[in-house]
Amino acid sequence: MSKEITFNANLQQLNKFAEKLAAINKPSDIILLQGELGTGKTTFTRFWINALYQKKKISPPFSIKSPTFPIMISYNLNDYEVYHYDLYRLTNSKELHELDIFENFAQNITIIEWPEIVMKKLKKKSYYIIKFLFK
């Protein structure tokens, strides 16, 4: 089961939405971010990760970057981690297993930019899809 949200907003609205989503997120949640380059996927992720840290009342990371080159960056929230993936550079689904992406779903929150390559493998999982559009 998936919940799809289409998003076209300014930065203040994007931040508010990220805060609202972070307030309800829990380990095992999967969030998929779709949209062209420059539509706000990484900006949303920064707002959202900061909101998760604020919710847990712990200091946020100094920097939250796009994992385009490392493909995955994790953020420790004490009792679980957030796994931030950018799958833009992947060319086939076999590469997903090398990332241990499926093992990380269970007790963590996963957010994935450019998720198309993994979506077919999520048929039995619940997830959110957020589609970003140019304003």
Side-chain angles (χ1 to χ4, degrees), residues 23-79:
I24 62 169
N25 282 136
K26 61 192 179 319
S28 81
D29 281 352
I30 301 168
I31 302 166
L32 308 178
L33 307 179
Q34 293 182 315
E36 297 299 317
L37 286 170
T39 55
K41 296 179 299 293
T42 301
T43 300
F44 169 81
T45 302
R46 282 186 193 109
F47 290 150
W48 177 76
I49 289 172
N50 279 320
L52 287 171
Y53 275 86
Q54 186 175 17
K55 174 176 132 178
K56 306 259 313 154
K57 295 179 173 52
I58 53 180
S59 295
F62 177 72
S63 177
I64 299 170
K65 299 176 184 176
S66 173
T68 301
F69 293 103
I71 300 176
M72 188 276 293
I73 299 174
S74 65
Y75 300 92
N76 187 340
L77 284 138
N78 294 335
D79 51 342

Side-chain angles (χ1 to χ4, degrees), residues 69-130:
F69 293 103
I71 300 176
M72 188 276 293
I73 299 174
S74 65
Y75 300 92
N76 187 340
L77 284 138
N78 294 335
D79 51 342
Y80 64 89
E81 290 191 53
V82 169
Y83 286 90
H84 179 194
Y85 291 93
D86 183 325
L87 304 182
Y88 183 78
R89 296 185 310 126
L90 296 189
T91 56
N92 65 65
S93 60
K94 291 178 185 176
E95 293 172 293
L96 295 170
H97 293 286
E98 294 171 13
L99 295 172
D100 292 328
I101 193 169
F102 302 106
E103 290 78 14
N104 292 333
F105 286 159
Q107 283 110 31
N108 302 292
I109 300 178
T110 305
I111 190 162
I112 303 171
E113 297 183 45
W114 303 97
E116 291 73 17
I117 199 165
V118 77
M119 289 176 77
K120 293 177 187 170
K121 307 270 186 191
L122 297 176
K123 291 179 181 168
K124 296 181 182 178
K125 302 252 184 224
S126 292
Y127 53 89
Y128 299 88
I129 299 174
I130 304 172

